[in-house]
Amino acid sequence: MTRSFVFTNHKGGVGKSTSATNIAFGIVNLLRRANAANPRVLIIDTDSQGHASLVTTGRKDYGTDDSLYTVLMAERQNAPQTLMNCIVPSQWDEDLHVLPASPMLEGAERELMGVAGAPYRLADPLSKIANQYGAIVIDTRPSFSLLTEMGLIAATDAIIPVEPRYLETVGLTSVIQKINDIREGWRHPNLRVSGLLVTKMDTRVRGHNHLLAELKGHAVLGKLLLGVIPSNEAVSYAHRNHQSLFTYDPRSSASKAYMQVVASLVRYLSKGGE
């Protein structure tokens, strides 16, 4: 079974798109280096702002005929082929593909609200083509909206990026509970919370160090810590140039931290998600 990693948190600005895109690119490269039979990775952008689409393809003007919106509004029997038709190659790597977002996704949510089976309009067609990829990465908007539910239902593994200032146990526990509610409510037992990713870490800030130490010491949350990404200006410069962090500055502290996360996830993939 192809593993699908959904990056989600109801807070904005915590590095979801940065993490999703760079980790997807890193997985491609490590799978290829390991001579994997299928090194291709698909990024699905479910955020109407289209940040993941923009940085990986150089565009955010996708619309009715060439985006996730097209897939969600397609007739169900045609949706798998429509999804394939809407996937575009990224500018980062020939094996990194993108199902781009569209500003029209805002309208799609309103149109699909209350429609029977709406939360499965991504999961169902994706299940038909998932085996064409070594892994799938889903970027979500900063809210638990219908589109975020679609992303969670289409995924096997939820990863929660969070800034050190948002590391309060109560907040993280509520995010995890929401994911678990979706797993139970929509009878999706394959979905699990597979990691917490601390982003924009600044060891010079006492509060950051204190909250990270609390997280590591927590009986449940500490075991979910996937990685710690330092605050690094290379991230914003890479975005501005529509490049991956690994391409823009492979020696940066953020690049090295993300690569450790990628290595961990590729080992996880090689073990079949165990």
Side-chain angles (χ1 to χ4, degrees):
M1 179 177 66
T2 301
R3 309 303 296 186
S4 298
F5 301 99
V6 59
F7 288 74
T8 189
N9 194 331
H10 59 255
K11 291 186 180 294
V14 296
K16 286 191 300 297
S17 297
T18 296
S19 299
T21 54
N22 282 286
I23 286 173
F25 178 73
I27 291 174
V28 167
N29 281 275
L30 277 196
L31 288 178
R32 187 187 295 134
R33 196 180 305 169
N35 294 316
N38 187 359
R40 296 198 303 173
V41 174
L42 173 64
I43 296 174
I44 299 176
D45 189 355
T46 70
D47 187 350
S48 58
Q49 297 181 76
H51 290 161
S53 304
L54 177 62
V55 297
T56 55
T57 71
R59 291 178 51 196
K60 60 182 301 183
D61 58 348
Y62 298 96
T64 56
D65 301 320
D66 56 359
S67 70
L68 174 60
Y69 173 86
T70 318
V71 178
L72 300 183
M73 304 311 292
E75 294 293 333
R76 288 192 174 182
Q77 64 271 25
N78 301 327
Q81 185 60 53
T82 300
L83 191 156
M84 289 298 298
N85 293 344
C86 292
I87 290 173
V88 297
S90 74
Q91 294 181 339
W92 291 4
D93 191 284
E94 63 182 3
D95 286 326
L96 181 63
H97 297 176
V98 183
L99 177 59
S102 165
M104 301 184 72
L105 286 172
E106 294 281 355
E109 281 204 316
R110 290 191 293 272
E111 292 180 58
L112 293 173
M113 195 66 68
V115 174
Y120 292 92
R121 289 206 170 208
L122 174 57
D124 287 348
L126 184 62
S127 67
K128 304 296 194 300
I129 65 100
N131 62 1
Q132 298 184 31
Y133 292 93
I136 294 166
V137 172
I138 303 172
D139 188 27
T140 62
R141 64 192 309 178
S143 67
F144 282 111
S145 62
L146 174 59
L147 277 164
T148 301
E149 285 193 358
M150 289 182 185
L152 287 163
I153 292 171
T156 56
D157 299 86
I159 295 175
I160 305 170
V162 59
E163 285 186 64
R165 60 196 178 108
Y166 294 135
L167 272 176
E168 292 86 352
T169 300
V170 173
L172 278 176
T173 303
S174 69
V175 174
I176 292 171
Q177 185 58 53
K178 182 65 177 178
I179 294 169
N180 289 338
D181 287 345
I182 290 173
R183 181 186 65 199
E184 300 300 328
W186 293 105
R187 298 180 182 178
H188 181 33
N190 289 331
L191 175 65
R192 67 183 185 182
V193 178
S194 295
L196 301 175
L197 186 62
V198 178
T199 61
K200 304 181 182 181
M201 176 71 188
D202 190 341
T203 55
R204 297 170 299 179
V205 178
R206 183 181 301 175
H208 284 199
N209 294 318
H210 175 71
L211 289 168
L212 180 60
E214 280 193 347
L215 173 64
K216 290 180 176 179
H218 193 278
V220 177
L221 299 179
K223 296 176 182 178
L224 292 173
L225 183 60
L226 182 61
V228 179
I229 311 300
S231 179
N232 192 284
E233 63 180 2
V235 174
S236 60
Y237 288 131
H239 277 184
R240 193 175 305 168
N241 288 279
H242 295 170
Q243 290 182 322
S244 80
L245 185 58
F246 301 122
T247 302
Y248 179 80
D249 189 353
R251 296 184 179 180
S252 70
S253 57
S255 288
K256 293 176 181 178
Y258 270 122
M259 188 48 70
Q260 290 180 353
V261 173
V262 170
S264 176
L265 292 178
V266 170
R267 286 194 297 270
Y268 177 71
L269 290 172
S270 68
K271 295 177 181 178
E274 298 179 358

